[in-house]
Every structure is written in C-alpha cells, then in structure tokens.
Amino acid sequence: MRFAEATTEQLLDWDQHTVDAPGGNVYQSRAWAEQRSRLGWRPRFLVAGDGFRLLSLERPWRLVAGAGAYLSKGPISGGEPAERTAERLGAAADWLFSHGVDVLASDSEIPAETGYGRLIEARGFRLIEEVQPSRHRVALALSPGEPESTYLAGFAMSTRQRVRQGEKAGLRVLRWDGRPDTDPGVGEGFEAPAPGSTPGAAFDRFFDLLEATAARRHFGLGSRAAFIDWSCAGLAAGHVILLEVRTPDDELIGGATFYRHGGRLTYSHSGDRADLRRSYPGVIHFLLWRAIQLAVRQSMVEVDLAGVDVRGARRQPVVGEEMLGLYEFKRSFGATWIELTGNHERVARPWRYGLGRVTGRLLGARQ
C-alpha cells in the first residue's frame, strides 16, 4: 500500500470519500483542512493506490526543521477489517516520515473490541492523551425504516415528559442546514431561518449561549472568531447543522450544533438559557428529540451523543463523579456506551520532536 499527494481532480470529490462514506468524519473534510490552514496548520491530502483518502494536518516546528502531524479522526474505517486500517496507518506514517514529519498522532474512531489498538501498537504506535475532549462516545443506534415512535418509546419516562413539555409550550426549532431536503417530510417540526438572516449572526448568537454554559460547567472554549469561521464553512459544505430553540414569542432559549458524516449525526455543542429553565423545562431534551427525528428521516444509522469521559478517567463515570449526570442524561435517550481505541502516537525522530516542542514553548512564552 502506497500513498501519494492528491491531484487537483482527486480533490474535487474529496468529501465523498472522507465525510459522506461509511465511517466518514467531518474532521477529514476539505472545509476542516481549509479552516485549520487559516490557523497555521499545513494540510496534506493523501491518496492510497486503491483510492482511499486521508487528510494529514501538520505543524512545522519553529526554528528547527521538521513537523508534527495529526490525522484528525483518521484513517476512517468504512467497515473494512481492522488489519487493513492498521496497514493504512502504517503506510501513511512511513510516507509522512519520509517527507519531513517527526511525530504522527491518529485518533481514528474505531471500536476497541476490533483489536485495532493492538494492531497499531505492533507497528510502533503508543497510546497518548486525547486531542478531543473525550476518547469514547455514547450513541443511539438507528435502524433505517424504523418509525420515530420506536425511539421515543425507548426514552426514559422523565425524558419523554420533558419532550412533551417542550411541545406543549409551543417551542419552535429553527434549522440551519446547508443541504436542502429532497423529501418534504424531513422538514416537519422545523422552521427555516427568516429571510435576510445570516449564518454568521446565528452562530454569533449561539456562541453567547455557549459562553454562558461554559462558565457554568467550567470548560474552555476557543475564540469566537474561529468558532464562527469554522461553523459557517462547515454549514456551507453541508457538514454542520445548527438547531435554534425559540419561544412562541421568538426568544432564543437554546441551541445545538451537529455534524452530518458517515451516515450518522454527531452532537457537537449545546447551550441554553439557565434563567428560563423553570419557564421552559427540558429545552435540550426537546432539541435532541428533534435531532433524532431528523436523523431518522434522513435514514442515518446512528445519533452520536459524544463522550462523557475526561482526562484522568477514560471510562464510564461512576457515582460521585461530576460527569455521571451527563452520562445518565445521554443514556435516557436509549444511547449506549461505545469503547473506542483512542489517540495513538508514533515518533520517528525523538530528538527533533523534543527540540521542536521546546523551541515552540520558549517562543510562545515570549509572545
């Protein structure tokens, strides 16, 4: 198996192979590569002899030659044997190391039960801390053709009650989506943005909700500008969906973003007005039900509710831990825990890798 850089023609249908294909991921898309490029990363688009596509994001060292590379959620696995995906990762590493990369990280979302971790560790990779917040995920499996009522019946009773409360309160859901529906029934229960409204303004409003949520839950956010830049680019590419929850009087009280990729809908960010929870309980429950309905109507195979594990506890939360409540919230939708292989790293030139990190920290401290 050999890799080479993509031709101009191969870039034209890049996302069909890396995002829309089974197992695809938005973090392997051209839109993500372009946004990372604006933040100082160097994208490299690789194609294997059998047509397999792989995005590498590289950070050149400062003052010294070489670079570090990150295969963000790659190589994707479209159901092929884990041995084949491990072979792809090894071949990609060899190619990148021969083209100036000193260290390579890869966090493919491949279940641990496949033995993928053991296979890549035999090729010189070792388990490291995650780049993304969580290693594992909690997901609701969908069966195309199954009615929506089946999934609602699988919710915990309290979650169904919250959904019904949102419906009785007359809550509305505005859907920002770069892909038009071909079936009119897909849009039932959603409203289109008002004429003249812009995605940039919508994501700016949503970021206000995220900031308040981050302050309450004590987690960090990137910059507003970078968030809006990526969200607008992802929306235009058809990868990002924003759902806004509004009152009958058109007041914004909640929202969430989702990624559409690999036949699944992945929960990304959410926020709500904590001061209005008594007046409008269950806003996020109601919103997630709408997202599940959308996934069912678009014949997706999964709603990925993202992870709940944190640094120092890469496992299911237990009694007494802060993340247990979030885990139980996600499980109340019928979702189950999926153990993934996790982020792995292989170092080709330890001395240059170490020197590059040291010089980067020193220069960063002086700025």
Side-chain angles (χ1 to χ4, degrees), residues 264-325:
R264 65 192 186 280
L265 197 64
T266 294
Y267 185 30
S268 179
H269 294 85
S270 69
D272 68 312
R273 289 275 302 277
D275 58 315
L276 294 178
R277 286 179 178 172
R278 286 184 178 272
S279 301
Y280 298 100
V283 169
I284 300 300
H285 296 78
F286 176 69
L287 188 154
L288 282 179
W289 167 234
R290 283 287 186 262
I292 292 169
Q293 288 179 299
L294 178 62
V296 170
R297 294 170 189 176
Q298 294 193 339
S299 300
M300 296 187 185
V301 298
E302 182 183 273
V303 176
D304 174 6
L305 297 180
V308 294
D309 58 284
V310 295
R311 183 185 289 267
R314 298 300 183 188
R315 50 167 171 72
Q316 298 179 53
V318 298
V319 175
E321 293 182 341
E322 184 179 2
M323 299 302 288
L324 181 62

Side-chain angles (χ1 to χ4, degrees), residues 44-340:
R44 185 113 61 171
F45 299 92
L46 302 179
V47 180
D50 62 357
F52 182 88
R53 315 293 171 91
L54 179 61
L55 171 65
S56 171
L57 298 172
E58 301 167 18
R59 276 281 198 187
W61 307 129
R62 302 166 76 175
L63 299 184
V64 297
Y70 174 35
L71 308 180
S72 184
K73 301 303 178 185
I76 64 169
S77 173
E80 66 182 6
E83 292 82 359
R84 182 68 169 168
T85 310
E87 183 184 359
R88 294 192 191 284
L89 179 59
D94 291 342
W95 191 95
L96 289 167
F97 292 156
S98 70
H99 288 76
V101 167
D102 303 309
V103 57
L104 175 65
S106 169
D107 56 359
S108 302
E109 291 190 326
I110 297 177
E113 64 182 14
T114 63
Y116 180 70
R118 171 181 50 80
L119 292 168
I120 63 175
E121 286 165 12
R123 288 172 165 80
F125 284 83
R126 65 181 183 88
L127 187 66
I128 60 171
E129 188 49 77
E130 301 304 303
V131 175
Q132 306 296 335
S134 297
R135 173 174 298 165
H136 312 295
R137 57 194 178 96
V138 184
L140 173 64
L142 304 178
S143 298
E146 195 75 30
E148 297 171 13
S149 58
T150 300
Y151 301 104
L152 183 62
F155 291 1
M157 182 179 296
S158 60
T159 296
R160 287 199 305 273
Q161 290 173 342
R162 291 296 181 93
V163 170
R164 298 305 187 201
Q165 285 177 317
E167 293 173 340
K168 290 179 180 179
L171 296 182
R172 304 151 49 224
V173 176
L174 272 65
R175 175 180 158 202
W176 294 82
D177 191 342
R179 294 191 188 181
D181 295 326
T182 55
D183 180 356
V186 173
E188 292 179 5
F190 299 95
E191 296 181 22
S197 54
T198 65
F203 286 116
D204 190 51
R205 292 190 298 267
F206 179 54
F207 195 84
D208 289 338
L209 291 177
L210 289 183
E211 281 191 318
T213 302
R216 291 196 309 270
R217 297 183 180 175
H218 312 292
F219 65 84
L221 283 175
S223 74
R224 181 183 295 263
F227 175 81
I228 295 174
D229 178 40
W230 157 240
S231 298
C232 287
L235 180 76
H239 307 323
V240 173
I241 298 170
L242 169 64
L243 300 182
E244 291 185 305
V245 181
R246 293 180 172 272
T247 67
D249 296 328
D250 204 35
E251 184 176 11
L252 177 65
I253 59 172
T257 52
F258 300 84
Y259 294 148
R260 178 200 282 115
H261 52 192
R264 65 192 186 280
L265 197 64
T266 294
Y267 185 30
S268 179
H269 294 85
S270 69
D272 68 312
R273 289 275 302 277
D275 58 315
L276 294 178
R277 286 179 178 172
R278 286 184 178 272
S279 301
Y280 298 100
V283 169
I284 300 300
H285 296 78
F286 176 69
L287 188 154
L288 282 179
W289 167 234
R290 283 287 186 262
I292 292 169
Q293 288 179 299
L294 178 62
V296 170
R297 294 170 189 176
Q298 294 193 339
S299 300
M300 296 187 185
V301 298
E302 182 183 273
V303 176
D304 174 6
L305 297 180
V308 294
D309 58 284
V310 295
R311 183 185 289 267
R314 298 300 183 188
R315 50 167 171 72
Q316 298 179 53
V318 298
V319 175
E321 293 182 341
E322 184 179 2
M323 299 302 288
L324 181 62
L326 181 60
Y327 183 35
E328 292 177 340
F329 166 75
K330 294 181 179 183
R331 290 182 64 196
S332 76
F333 289 88
T336 57
W337 174 271
I338 300 177
E339 193 96 3
L340 298 179

Side-chain angles (χ1 to χ4, degrees), residues 332-366:
S332 76
F333 289 88
T336 57
W337 174 271
I338 300 177
E339 193 96 3
L340 298 179
T341 299
N343 194 22
H344 280 70
E345 176 184 87
R346 179 176 159 190
V347 180
R349 302 176 187 87
W351 65 271
R352 204 160 73 179
Y353 174 36
L355 187 58
R357 294 183 65 183
V358 169
T359 55
R361 284 197 297 267
L362 291 175
L363 289 174
R366 293 177 181 178

